[in-house]
Amino acid sequence: MFCQQCEETARGLGCTAGGVCGKSNDTACYQDAVNFILSGLAYRKIHQPAGAKVPADTAKQDKAVVEILFATLTNVNFDKERFKEYLKTLIAYRDAYPIISGEPEGCAWTPKSEEEIVHLEGGIGLLAIEDDNERSLFSLLLFGLKGMCAYYSHAEVLGKTDPDIMAFIYKGLASRFEVYTIAERTELVLECGTVGAKVLALLDEANKHYGTTEITKVPCGVKDKPGILVTGHDLRDLEMLLEQTKGTGVDVYTHGEMLIAHAHPAFKQYDNLIANYGTSWANQKDEFPKFNGPVLFTTNCLVPPPEESRGRIFTTGSVGFDGAVHIPEKADGSKDFSEIIALAKRCKAPIDLKLSEVTTGAGHDAVLALAPKILKLIEEKKIRRFVVMAGCDGRHKERRYYTEFAQALPKDVIILTAGCAKYRYNRLNLGEIDGVPRVLDAGQCNDSYSLVVIATELAKALKIPVNELPLSFNIAWYEQKAILVFLTLLALGIRDIMIGPHLPACLSPDVLNTLVERFGVQPNTTVEADLKTLHLV
Ligand code: FSO
Ligand code: SF4
């Protein structure tokens, strides 16, 4: 295996003998195999000559492509058996298209045995792309596409789809087997960011299904009934679970990225949605055992649980873990959570982690409602600058940097955030500036879109280009959704983004150079130096 898609990759280079995340060599190789076949399917689909006999309705195929690519994202699916099934599904879809004369050999690859798939040295993984720059650019593109599929799947379950986005997913996947110059591959990566903006906008629109978020103080205590803890990002799953637990004597709590649900008017109606429990995904090993009840993973980040708590882990959607019960989607899109509810009834109530409440819900509508006040505070020099500190949390000690950075900010700087990175500083009591909270949390990592809308609208109001706003970017990344958000920011013309705790391992020296020269991308260093670089002191 060879995997370098996340920030915690081994030695900052790549995982080669089992993942730091807990992914086994075999599962990693199966993931490479499904990615390879996905490229073959995409190539066949988009290169058919006019008049070819092709599948007429590809709605199911599109849904499978999105689910499967999402399943290969970090901390989503560790279950080799699910990938075996995915492989069969994809081969069937691919082979429903006529072979194209002269197609690259890889398009027809059909493994005959497990040995053909499972390679310690990487097999048909990304290392098989020999040219460093080509591999670097295709890796960035593939990681961006994974993030795109994650967000697209959330929009899709809420009834929002877009054929142009699907078309780009196929185009990007097919590019593995196509001849592109390095300049063209670079543009394709940026196009991924442009389409990323569309996906984020689509999901933003889809989430309106639950009403516009309001700035909300979310309780973080517990009640005395047993509970189910819901983590991940899929609001539709949370909604279905809340409906099914009504009147059962089982409460529902959110974890990590699900925090934002509490700020949506539709979720505020549920008496059985009690509180947010704990912090980010990175602390689940410590927090989940104290919850006492079952945990439902609707998406990443799943950290392989210890043997003794596996019976309390449930997965759904793209998520999978061998030994955990998987709740499938029925033909009508519904899910039956009765097994998890039955288990919860036999569990003790959660132990109180004694965490203070947190504030969320500062999406673009909520913040733009404050725009006149914010503009006045800028004019009065009470707000000097904004810093976007969106992104992911992670397990490494060095992420302390983000807590220290937030603490060191001058009192007239406002943090705009989204994603689980916020748990590093959302309980620091950083206060308010004339009633405007100094930490404005838009919600999940996909709600980084909100931050872009806020910036664009403020720039319009101040009649200056976005890059001249008193706004700096210090982004924390961990997995491929953050890569998509990063590419989206670049495509939208945002310059001088600082990114950390480490740069993506897939960047070749030349690709890094392009990012630095063309976009001013910079790695983070120390709190003191970075505060100066970002014009915050
Ligand atoms: Fe966090 Fe995990 Fe949202 Fe990521 S839960 S790390 S960017 O998957 O998805 O921010
Ligand atoms: Fe390693 Fe990250 Fe890949 Fe897991 S997802 S195998 S930790 S690079």
Side-chain angles (χ1 to χ4, degrees):
M1 72 174 277
F2 177 75
C3 183
Q4 54 175 191
Q5 66 182 1
C6 81
E7 193 270 337
E8 291 186 3
T9 194
R11 304 170 310 281
L13 294 170
C15 296
T16 51
V20 171
C21 59
K23 183 163 74 178
S24 69
N25 174 72
D26 285 16
T27 301
C29 292
Y30 268 92
Q31 292 188 353
D32 286 344
V34 302
N35 287 336
F36 196 77
I37 304 272
L38 274 166
S39 286
L41 161 62
Y43 187 94
R44 285 244 178 110
K45 178 181 160 62
I46 66 179
H47 287 284
Q48 292 296 328
K53 208 164 162 276
V54 297
D57 178 7
T58 61
K60 277 197 179 152
Q61 173 187 305
D62 293 351
K63 200 166 186 282
V65 165
V66 168
E67 175 182 332
I68 296 171
L69 201 47
F70 185 8
T72 69
L73 193 141
T74 298
N75 288 342
V76 175
N77 200 321
F78 296 80
D79 186 356
K80 183 168 105 177
E81 296 308 312
R82 284 272 293 288
F83 285 100
K84 282 187 179 168
E85 290 306 310
Y86 283 154
L87 211 49
K88 280 191 213 147
T89 305
L90 289 177
I91 290 171
Y93 280 130
R94 181 197 64 191
D95 293 347
Y97 288 92
I99 294 172
I100 295 168
S101 85
E103 70 180 18
E105 212 179 299
C107 288
W109 183 64
T110 303
K112 305 278 178 308
S113 64
E114 179 149 312
E115 289 71 57
E116 222 184 299
I117 296 170
V118 175
H119 282 268
L120 277 171
E121 64 278 12
I124 37 76
L126 292 170
L127 269 190
I129 303 173
E130 282 171 16
D131 180 81
D132 279 357
N133 293 330
E134 203 174 313
R135 183 172 62 251
S136 176
L137 289 165
F138 184 73
S139 299
L140 259 188
L141 174 67
L142 181 66
F143 302 162
L145 289 172
K146 291 182 185 203
M148 186 177 289
C149 286
Y151 294 144
Y152 190 73
S153 78
H154 299 323
E156 193 181 43
V157 293
L158 296 173
K160 297 275 178 198
T161 54
D162 179 342
D164 291 348
I165 294 171
M166 264 329 295
F168 181 77
I169 292 171
Y170 284 114
K171 176 180 169 181
L173 287 168
S175 71
R176 173 157 188 176
F177 290 136
E178 289 169 329
V179 181
Y180 276 76
T181 62
I182 291 302
E184 287 165 344
R185 284 206 183 270
T186 307
E187 290 316 306
L188 191 61
V189 170
L190 292 176
E191 191 181 344
C192 184
T194 306
V195 180
K198 279 181 120 181
V199 178
L200 294 174
L202 187 79
L203 180 52
D204 185 66
E205 192 55 38
N207 283 341
K208 293 219 168 76
H209 177 75
Y210 300 110
T212 304
T213 59
E214 299 152 350
I215 298 181
T216 304
K217 288 192 169 144
V218 181
C220 295
V222 299
K223 290 200 173 167
D224 53 5
K225 286 188 206 160
I228 297 171
L229 190 56
V230 186
T231 189
H233 304 68
D234 196 310
L235 295 174
R236 172 90 182 104
D237 287 332
L238 175 64
E239 181 190 14
M240 287 190 278
L241 183 70
L242 283 164
E243 281 297 325
Q244 293 176 35
T245 46
K246 267 184 188 169
T248 60
V250 171
D251 285 335
V252 175
Y253 293 78
T254 57
H255 187 266
E257 289 273 55
M258 275 291 176
L259 169 69
I260 189 62
H262 299 270
H264 280 282
F267 287 105
K268 288 184 179 180
Q269 312 303 319
Y270 288 99
D271 296 339
N272 48 337
L273 179 61
I274 306 302
N276 190 67
Y277 189 83
T279 55
S280 84
W281 72 272
N283 300 317
Q284 62 187 261
K285 271 195 166 159
D286 178 44
E287 293 168 356
F288 289 179
K290 294 176 182 144
F291 185 74
N292 288 330
V295 181
L296 174 64
F297 281 88
T298 67
T299 68
N300 52 329
C301 282
L302 187 156
V303 176
E307 198 73 41
E308 60 278 14
S309 51
R310 291 195 179 167
R312 289 201 286 117
I313 299 300
F314 290 74
T315 63
T316 191
S318 292
V319 197
F321 189 79
D322 30 321
V325 175
H326 187 74
I327 313 279
E329 186 184 78
K330 293 194 217 162
D332 65 356
S334 68
K335 294 181 183 179
D336 178 1
F337 292 116
S338 51
E339 193 173 342
I340 184 168
I341 297 168
L343 173 60
K345 286 180 180 167
R346 302 195 298 273
C347 294
K348 285 193 243 160
I351 296 169
D352 195 345
L353 297 177
K354 306 262 188 251
L355 290 170
S356 62
E357 64 182 15
V358 286
T359 302
T360 189
H364 55 88
D365 287 309
V367 174
L368 291 176
L370 295 173
K373 187 170 191 178
I374 291 175
L375 291 169
K376 192 161 166 276
L377 289 171
I378 295 174
E379 203 183 313
E380 293 169 356
K381 304 211 179 325
K382 289 188 177 164
I383 294 178
R384 176 169 21 150
R385 213 168 168 85
F386 298 86
V387 57
V388 172
M389 290 180 69
C392 318
D393 195 15
R395 292 167 287 198
H396 290 164
K397 284 202 179 72
E398 61 200 322
R399 292 216 180 222
R400 246 191 343 245
Y401 163 95
Y402 293 101
T403 310
E404 290 164 5
F405 189 89
Q407 258 163 340
L409 286 169
K411 303 265 177 289
D412 51 4
V413 172
I414 289 203
I415 297 175
L416 300 175
T417 191
C420 49
K422 61 175 161 273
Y423 285 106
R424 291 279 163 179
Y425 46 80
N426 64 352
R427 288 191 167 97
L428 291 179
N429 293 323
L430 294 180
E432 299 180 340
I433 302 177
D434 282 8
V436 177
R438 279 193 59 221
V439 179
L440 289 170
D441 171 29
Q444 299 180 342
C445 45
N446 42 289
D447 294 308
S448 301
Y449 173 76
S450 255
L451 310 182
V452 171
V453 175
I454 293 166
T456 315
E457 290 304 313
L458 285 181
K460 264 195 223 158
L462 292 166
K463 299 194 178 60
I464 52 172
V466 174
N467 282 313
E468 285 176 24
L469 275 175
L471 174 68
S472 312
F473 286 80
N474 192 356
I475 306 280
W477 84 285
Y478 169 61
E479 41 83 337
Q480 300 85 63
K481 284 186 267 182
I483 295 282
L484 182 75
V485 171
F486 172 65
L487 296 179
T488 299
L489 294 174
L490 296 186
L492 291 171
I494 308 284
R495 287 191 53 84
D496 302 332
I497 297 172
M498 183 171 276
I499 182 164
H502 298 108
L503 292 172
C506 71
L507 298 179
S508 68
D510 288 345
V511 172
L512 177 59
N513 213 21
T514 305
L515 291 177
V516 172
E517 284 182 358
R518 209 164 143 188
F519 300 100
V521 171
Q522 47 196 332
N524 68 342
T525 59
T526 63
V527 169
E528 296 70 30
D530 295 346
L531 285 168
K532 282 193 197 121
T533 308
L534 295 175
H535 314 290
L536 292 159
V537 285

